[in-house]
Amino acid sequence: DNFADITSRAAIACHKHVGKNDKIIADKAATDSMRKNLNKLNINGEIVIGEGELDEAPMLYIGEKLGTGKGPSIDIAVDPLEGTNFAANNLPGALSVLAVSLKGNLFNAPETYMDKLAVGKDVPLDATDLDFSIEKNIKNIADSKNKNLDKVTACMLNRPRHKEIIDKLRELKVNVRLLSDGDVAGALLVTNEKHKVDIFLGVGGGPEGILAASALDAFNCKFQGRFLFKTDEDIKRAKNMGISDLNKKYNLNEIVRGDSIFCATGITSGDLVDGVKLEDNKFITETLVTHKNSTINIVKKEIPIT
């Protein structure tokens, strides 16, 4: 509940900047709030996925220690404002996201791109793979769900780098859902039939992949990721983090070991949760909370205006 409170307050802090066309200020508001409230917790916390390296992020940087230092040692992954453009332009789907686990259980992901694949728990584990062709993955999904290819929907970020994948999907007559932003939320669309997404794929942020994996784990979904290192600097950073096999394909249980808690609070309303609302001098927030060992639920909070 503490963690849902932290993402809720970060969402509220960001709320007043929604639609003001300044994603930097919106992100800073969410980040400041999240950091301040994490520091109040009786934890010995460390950021493993944050706003970047120390040289590019003054707060919530990778390696930053948080909390009072009293209490359990935990790893923290944050994206205080996922969908900065959504918040700046008052578009659906901006979230404040946080995942925590006991020390050593969350993969320490470099700030680099990742090739990803996520499918729901209704698809057999061996039916899809990052190393399969697009056609094989899609046909296996269609077979396992007993539906025609034109009833399968693939979701990915709308980026020039995905042109070949999109062309192939269109050739197969598959439905394509393109997202302008929102890499964490996009992967979570495979968790529920109501979102009508059969597979999330393509290249996006590595840190966002780890955050999504934390939630997908609780839903018993499948996730695979492979980091893409574009520069010597990327490779050096990865090696410093202890990544020796640069081409390794990671399965979910290698990314999130053991239990984790994931919270995503809506800043603007989207597929997963509603955005921040203001009623009777209080803010109302909605947070998707997943805890692998116990619950998956939508938590509503009322927080008085201070």
Side-chain angles (χ1 to χ4, degrees):
D1 199 49
N2 279 340
F3 296 115
D5 200 58
I6 286 168
T7 53
S8 289
R9 288 176 187 278
I12 289 166
C14 184
H15 173 70
K16 62 174 166 288
H17 302 290
V18 165
K20 300 280 173 64
N21 202 20
D22 190 335
K23 62 184 185 181
I24 291 165
I25 286 197
D27 189 47
K28 184 177 183 326
T31 303
D32 288 353
S33 166
M34 190 174 273
R35 180 173 186 263
K36 182 181 86 180
N37 289 308
L38 279 167
N39 267 327
K40 292 177 183 171
L41 297 183
N42 283 325
I43 55 169
N44 186 359
E46 182 177 348
I47 297 284
V48 293
I49 285 172
E51 293 285 90
E53 314 285 318
L54 176 55
D55 55 4
E56 62 196 51
M59 292 194 302
L60 297 182
Y61 59 85
I62 296 165
E64 184 175 358
K65 303 279 193 268
L66 293 171
T68 61
K70 305 182 184 93
S73 291
I74 65 169
D75 284 341
I76 305 168
V78 300
D79 195 347
L81 170 51
E82 204 229 359
T84 51
N85 289 319
F86 295 158
N89 301 305
N90 197 7
L91 296 168
L95 297 169
S96 185
V97 184
L98 166 74
V100 298
S101 74
L102 288 174
K103 186 92 207 120
N105 282 357
L106 271 186
F107 196 89
N108 196 339
E111 283 277 321
T112 182
Y113 281 115
M114 178 192 256
D115 195 10
K116 312 175 193 180
L117 177 152
V119 290
K121 64 172 187 274
D122 50 354
V123 176
L125 210 55
D126 60 357
T128 57
D129 198 284
L130 273 179
D131 292 330
F132 290 172
S133 66
I134 295 290
E135 187 167 357
K136 184 172 179 180
N137 277 324
I138 295 294
K139 286 185 170 169
N140 285 352
I141 288 171
D143 287 347
S144 70
K145 292 191 171 189
N146 202 12
K147 54 187 183 183
N148 294 334
L149 291 181
D150 62 2
K151 295 284 187 282
V152 173
T153 300
C155 177
M156 74 207 69
L157 290 173
N158 187 7
R159 298 289 184 271
R161 61 178 175 264
H162 292 148
K163 183 184 183 312
E164 275 180 42
I165 298 176
I166 294 165
D167 289 348
K168 185 68 194 172
L169 291 167
R170 297 225 157 108
E171 188 188 307
L172 291 166
K173 305 278 191 284
V174 171
N175 300 299
V176 178
R177 179 169 172 186
L178 298 175
L179 306 175
S180 63
D181 288 285
D183 218 357
V184 177
L188 298 190
L189 296 176
V190 303
T191 59
N192 192 316
E193 282 287 300
K194 73 180 182 189
H195 301 312
K196 298 186 169 53
V197 169
D198 298 288
I199 181 170
F200 179 82
L201 75 169
V203 173
E208 288 83 353
I210 309 297
L211 279 161
S214 169
L216 290 165
D217 196 25
F219 284 98
N220 288 320
C221 293
K222 173 175 179 166
F223 180 86
Q224 278 183 333
R226 178 183 279 126
F227 293 109
L228 301 172
F229 302 105
K230 299 270 171 73
T231 65
D232 291 345
E233 186 57 37
D234 285 347
I235 291 168
K236 189 174 141 199
R237 201 181 282 157
K239 290 194 164 156
N240 287 342
M241 285 182 168
I243 298 173
S244 51
D245 179 357
L246 297 180
N247 296 311
K248 182 172 164 57
K249 175 177 67 186
Y250 293 92
N251 289 311
L252 214 161
N253 60 359
E254 297 171 285
I255 294 171
V256 184
R257 293 185 283 275
D259 199 5
S260 66
I261 295 169
F262 170 93
C263 299
T265 301
I267 297 168
T268 57
S269 296
D271 289 297
L272 301 172
V273 281
D274 284 343
V276 176
K277 291 188 178 64
L278 189 51
E279 283 175 21
D280 307 330
N281 272 350
K282 55 184 183 281
F283 291 107
I284 295 167
T285 62
E286 241 184 46
T287 306
L288 169 67
V289 179
T290 75
H291 183 198
K292 188 181 175 186
N293 282 350
S294 60
T295 53
I296 295 175
N297 44 25
I298 301 279
V299 175
K300 279 191 188 292
K301 284 192 175 285
E302 294 187 359
I303 295 176
I305 294 175
T306 46

